[in-house]
Amino acid sequence: MYVAAAVAASPPRRDFISVTLSPEEAVGAGGYNNSKARRRRSCWRKWKQLSRLQRSIILFLFAALTVCGVISYTSVGEPWKSLTNKSADERGTEPDAPGLKLANPAVLPAPQKADANAGDYPELSPQKKPKLLHGRRNPSNFQIKPPWGDVRQQTRHDTSKAVEEPAQADKQGKTEKSVISWRGAVIEPDQSSEPPSSRIKEPEKPLSVESESQKEPVPINERQMAVVEAFRHAWKGYKDFAWGHDELKPLSKSYSEWFGLGLTLIDALDTMWILGLREEFEEARKWVANDLAFDKNVDVNLFESTIRILGGLLSTYHLSGDSLFLEKAKDIGNRLMPAFKTPSKIPYSDVNIGRGTAHPPRWTSDSTVAEVTSIQLEFRELSRLTGDEKYQKAVDEVMKHVHTLSGKNDGLVPMFINTNSGQFTHLGVYTLGARADSYYEYLLKQWIQGGKTENELLEDYMRAIEGVKKHLLQRSQPKKLTFVGELAHGHFSAKMDHLVCFLPGTLALGAHNGLTADHMKLAEALIETCYQMYAQVETGLSPEIVHFNLHAQNGHKDVEIKPADRHNLLRPETVESLFYMYRFTGDKKYQDWGWEILQNFNKYTRVPTGGYTSINNVQNPINPEPRDKMESFFLGETLKYMFLLFSDDIDLINLDKYVFNTEAHPLPIWVPA
């Protein structure tokens, strides 16, 4: 092709210049075209013109740059991703984030629907607002899956790794309601227009929690692993020598019966769940399903059966979601109801669960005040789950009756009440120890369970604590330990049961729920005393009862122990209060104190062939005189509270969502209407 260009010249003559282009530079008989195809051909021609060495160097440099780019993206991208995820989680905790109230959803999963994936149990994330779901009570092909996994697998990991600290759980918002004032204490409880019993219209299904993103389980630490090992050792003795019976006798490798209902096994069900002992739990579940029968001609104690059996079954139902435990709870609950058929509606102490009859103890027509006023949490929860008012109505009548009785001393109650007249007996004796202790505990815990709506319970509790301060508090010598004594017809006794060591934890729980701050100060003083009841004893284990010295004497400690009181039954009360104090204060000295107690249990009460035994003499490290009995509450309470004490995971039984009964079985806090 030829392209001509005119060159200016003087007219009339014209000159021309002719330019010839090669065919390969021409573009399809048209003009010049800077197309992508042309550029690719040009670059390829230049690439081919390079020597092999030059091409190799360029390829090497390109590969090196690519690798560097990937490494840079990884190092910068992951922190950025974590930051953005954290920001998203934090946004989910803002007050106006969508979600329901968190007054009482269960921390662990409740029943799933029948078509749910077997074994799929989402755990509560502390960063997210949970959704409340209604689950089926009878899931088909239900599989038990403890939320913390099988501890056997966790032992393969480094248990010395620090425990992650989850974010603080959302607290229940306060509402503007009427104010209760009790001697300087101002409380603003959530109120309701009607009592909880009248709100039960249809069966309540347990609340389940489904988090938006599944929370990674907090790894258990070395101290928790030591508790797991202690539980396994105790469980081995029970399984080998007392399976299906009430209590293990570890020295004689046999068992003892109280009711013949497998008390130790039932008491330990929710402990196994919380500790993540999957195999042991499933084995125990099979016994409950196949062998636990309440149709027996046997007398049982109303109080002990309620807190251990009914409470244990209800708690396990809530934690596992397995309807088997609810059905068993309904069965025993119905069989205990004849106890309330008395002239005064104050229940008898004993019930024949096979015949459906009840009676007082053979030596008296009285019941103890603690027994008749410490069954409410369990029966109220049974009404909520079944929709049947009769259980809650029966126990609420007892509390309303006791609320109006005379014979109290600034809120302190006598130890006995007559089932015929409904009046207090043995007037003038006041204690926070045996026969009265859990009355005070359940005043507060019922108020918390019901959503802080029942003001009479709170008033009685606040009045009673003031009575304790006025009549029962003293300080010992030489360390000036604050302790709770007893009052008998105006005479003060410096005697304190180990059972009273429930009180620091209860006071701390009340303070955590908005009661006066001086309750926490008193709790801190009392838990120091309870610890000294261990530390000042030769074995490092507390006796059943101590007497405090009120006057300084050379060579005398604060604590004095009488020969009849120096036994130790593996009781949980001090460990229970240590758990509450650590959960609410974060002071690790409470964990250290609990660790000392566990080590001394291992040193003086552990039986090599399996199990632990109560001992007769805490003052003799050489021969503590083992009693050959392991109480069911050692597995149901003591080791459970130990495990929780050593955990830094506040969502491992969150105390804003659960309330423990007096046998350490957690029950959900109700959502206010």
Side-chain angles (χ1 to χ4, degrees):
M1 173 184 178
Y2 297 92
V3 178
V7 179
S10 57
R13 183 184 174 185
R14 294 183 180 178
D15 294 329
F16 296 91
I17 296 176
S18 176
V19 179
T20 302
L21 299 178
S22 63
E24 64 180 356
E25 291 178 321
V27 182
Y32 175 75
N33 187 348
N34 188 26
S35 66
K36 292 181 180 179
R38 174 181 174 83
R39 289 197 300 272
R40 282 195 296 268
R41 288 194 298 269
S42 177
C43 291
W44 176 248
R45 186 168 56 250
K46 292 178 180 179
W47 173 256
K48 295 295 288 184
Q49 291 174 354
L50 295 175
S51 68
R52 180 176 298 177
L53 176 62
Q54 291 174 319
R55 291 199 297 265
S56 299
I57 293 173
I58 293 174
L59 288 174
F60 175 78
L61 291 175
F62 178 77
L65 289 173
T66 302
V67 172
C68 292
V70 171
I71 294 174
S72 300
Y73 175 79
T74 302
S75 61
V76 176
E78 287 301 321
W80 177 253
K81 183 179 179 181
S82 300
L83 181 62
T84 55
N85 288 342
K86 181 178 178 182
S87 301
D89 287 345
E90 289 173 348
R91 287 195 297 272
T93 62
E94 293 176 358
D96 52 355
L100 298 177
K101 267 190 166 184
L102 291 182
N104 80 328
V107 177
L108 305 179
Q112 289 188 311
K113 295 183 178 180
D115 58 352
N117 293 331
D120 183 16
Y121 292 89
E123 296 169 28
L124 177 64
S125 168
Q127 306 287 342
K128 298 288 184 180
K129 292 275 188 176
K131 301 175 183 177
L132 303 183
L133 303 175
H134 291 293
R136 287 184 58 171
R137 293 206 191 99
N138 299 298
S140 61
N141 300 324
F142 190 87
Q143 295 184 6
I144 305 298
K145 183 180 179 182
W148 312 109
D150 192 345
V151 178
R152 289 182 177 83
Q153 297 177 359
Q154 297 190 33
T155 57
R156 301 192 186 104
H157 300 286
D158 183 9
T159 56
S160 63
K161 186 176 180 180
V163 178
E164 299 173 5
E165 294 183 1
Q168 189 73 17
D170 293 335
K171 294 184 178 179
Q172 177 182 349
K174 294 183 178 179
T175 56
E176 296 182 2
K177 302 291 182 179
S178 60
V179 177
I180 298 174
S181 178
W182 174 249
R183 299 192 182 184
V186 179
I187 307 99
E188 299 182 359
D190 294 330
Q191 307 249 357
S192 177
S193 59
E194 52 186 351
S197 59
S198 62
R199 295 202 302 266
I200 300 175
K201 300 301 181 184
E202 60 183 17
E204 286 281 351
K205 297 181 180 180
L207 301 170
S208 81
V209 175
E210 185 182 69
S211 60
E212 294 178 10
S213 63
Q214 190 173 15
K215 173 190 170 185
E216 288 296 324
V218 175
I220 64 177
N221 55 47
E222 287 183 338
R223 289 181 174 181
Q224 287 177 289
M225 285 303 306
V227 177
V228 171
E229 192 280 331
F231 184 97
R232 282 205 184 116
H233 183 77
W235 188 252
K236 177 185 182 300
Y238 177 75
K239 181 180 177 181
D240 290 347
F241 310 123
W243 183 253
H245 298 285
D246 284 343
E247 293 165 333
L248 168 67
K249 299 177 70 175
L251 295 177
S252 58
K253 300 180 182 179
S254 59
Y255 58 85
S256 62
E257 295 285 35
W258 192 1
F259 307 142
L261 299 174
L263 283 183
T264 294
L265 187 148
I266 297 174
D267 234 357
L269 283 168
D270 57 2
T271 304
M272 288 183 280
W273 183 273
I274 292 168
L275 270 59
L277 297 175
R278 182 183 310 170
E279 292 181 11
E280 290 86 346
F281 180 87
E282 292 180 346
E283 190 173 26
R285 182 199 180 276
K286 291 178 183 177
W287 183 88
V288 172
N290 301 325
D291 300 306
L292 178 60
F294 298 123
D295 187 15
K296 292 184 176 181
N297 180 18
V298 60
D299 284 356
V300 303
N301 180 271
L302 171 66
F303 167 70
E304 298 290 354
S305 299
T306 299
I307 65 172
R308 301 191 197 208
I309 300 176
L310 178 58
L313 292 170
L314 290 174
S315 172
T316 306
Y317 168 61
H318 279 293
L319 298 181
S320 70
D322 191 339
S323 60
L324 166 69
F325 301 107
L326 178 59
E327 294 306 314
K328 293 291 185 180
K330 287 159 60 177
D331 189 4
I332 187 63
N334 283 322
R335 293 177 183 278
L336 294 174
M337 287 303 291
F340 296 92
K341 295 179 180 178
T342 69
S344 65
K345 304 301 182 183
I346 299 298
Y348 290 126
S349 63
D350 298 294
V351 187
N352 189 299
I353 56 175
R355 294 180 176 177
T357 60
H359 57 84
R362 311 217 182 279
W363 57 89
T364 180
S365 59
D366 292 345
S367 292
T368 66
V369 171
E371 289 183 344
V372 302
T373 58
S374 304
I375 54 179
Q376 279 68 22
L377 292 179
E378 299 82 2
F379 278 97
R380 283 154 53 107
E381 178 61 14
L382 188 58
S383 276
R384 190 182 73 88
L385 290 174
T386 64
D388 192 336
E389 294 183 355
K390 67 180 181 182
Y391 311 109
Q392 178 165 348
K393 183 178 180 181
V395 295
D396 281 353
E397 284 184 358
V398 175
M399 296 308 301
K400 291 176 182 177
H401 179 76
V402 172
H403 175 73
T404 63
L405 281 182
S406 59
K408 298 177 185 175
N409 186 4
D410 291 320
L412 302 177
V413 296
M415 294 186 293
F416 297 96
I417 188 170
N418 189 272
T419 54
N420 294 320
S421 67
Q423 299 298 310
F424 288 130
T425 61
H426 300 78
L427 301 179
V429 180
Y430 305 98
T431 177
L432 263 71
R435 300 187 177 91
D437 51 352
S438 48
Y439 161 74
Y440 304 99
E441 176 188 358
Y442 268 40
L443 287 175
L444 176 69
K445 289 184 174 180
Q446 286 178 82
W447 178 69
I448 293 172
Q449 179 194 48
K452 305 178 185 179
T453 63
E454 299 153 286
N455 295 336
E456 287 184 353
L457 297 169
L458 179 61
E459 291 168 1
D460 286 347
Y461 174 75
M462 296 297 292
R463 191 172 287 113
I465 299 304
E466 292 301 314
V468 170
K469 293 178 183 178
K470 181 177 180 181
H471 299 291
L472 303 183
L473 281 189
Q474 287 280 6
R475 301 184 75 182
S476 69
Q477 296 294 337
K479 290 192 173 182
K480 300 186 183 301
L481 301 176
T482 301
F483 70 94
V484 178
E486 297 183 353
L487 192 67
H489 308 291
H491 174 72
F492 179 81
S493 171
K495 167 181 175 287
M496 179 171 163
D497 292 1
H498 183 273
L499 289 168
V500 181
C501 286
F502 84 92
L503 185 58
T506 299
L507 289 167
L509 180 64
H512 175 73
N513 279 275
L515 305 189
T516 177
D518 67 339
H519 283 200
M520 180 58 83
K521 293 181 181 178
L522 179 56
E524 291 172 345
L526 288 175
I527 192 59
E528 169 73 27
T529 302
C530 291
Y531 168 66
Q532 290 297 327
M533 290 167 62
Y534 286 77
Q536 294 192 20
V537 180
E538 287 78 357
T539 60
L541 295 175
S542 172
E544 183 74 358
I545 299 171
V546 300
H547 290 76
F548 287 93
N549 287 314
L550 296 178
H551 308 286
Q553 303 177 55
N554 290 334
H556 285 258
K557 303 176 183 178
D558 298 73
V559 171
E560 296 286 345
I561 306 171
K562 296 184 177 181
D565 303 330
R566 59 191 183 186
H567 50 285
N568 180 289
L569 304 182
L570 311 173
R571 286 200 185 276
E573 286 76 21
T574 294
V575 180
E576 171 187 359
S577 287
L578 289 173
F579 158 63
Y580 282 108
M581 296 302 295
Y582 179 69
R583 182 66 69 92
F584 296 141
T585 69
D587 191 335
K588 290 190 176 295
K589 74 178 180 182
Y590 299 122
Q591 288 184 323
D592 294 337
W593 292 353
W595 181 243
E596 291 178 23
I597 294 172
L598 178 61
Q599 288 177 309
N600 289 325
F601 276 138
N602 280 326
K603 187 174 183 180
Y604 296 107
T605 72
R606 183 178 174 117
V607 178
T609 54
Y612 289 73
T613 179
S614 51
I615 57 177
N616 273 323
N617 191 350
V618 296
Q619 294 179 297
N620 189 344
I622 305 301
N623 179 20
E625 302 174 20
R627 304 183 77 173
D628 193 21
K629 187 175 183 180
M630 185 177 76
E631 302 279 353
S632 79
F633 53 66
F634 182 65
L635 298 185
E637 298 186 75
T638 308
L639 292 182
K640 181 188 300 169
Y641 280 131
M642 282 280 188
F643 187 82
L644 294 171
L645 166 63
F646 298 143
S647 173
D648 287 320
D649 183 1
I650 63 169
D651 281 322
L652 182 55
I653 311 301
N654 190 309
L655 294 178
D656 291 325
K657 302 176 179 70
Y658 280 108
V659 60
F660 284 94
N661 84 338
T662 196
E663 190 74 8
H665 297 304
L667 301 172
I669 297 171
W670 303 348
V671 175

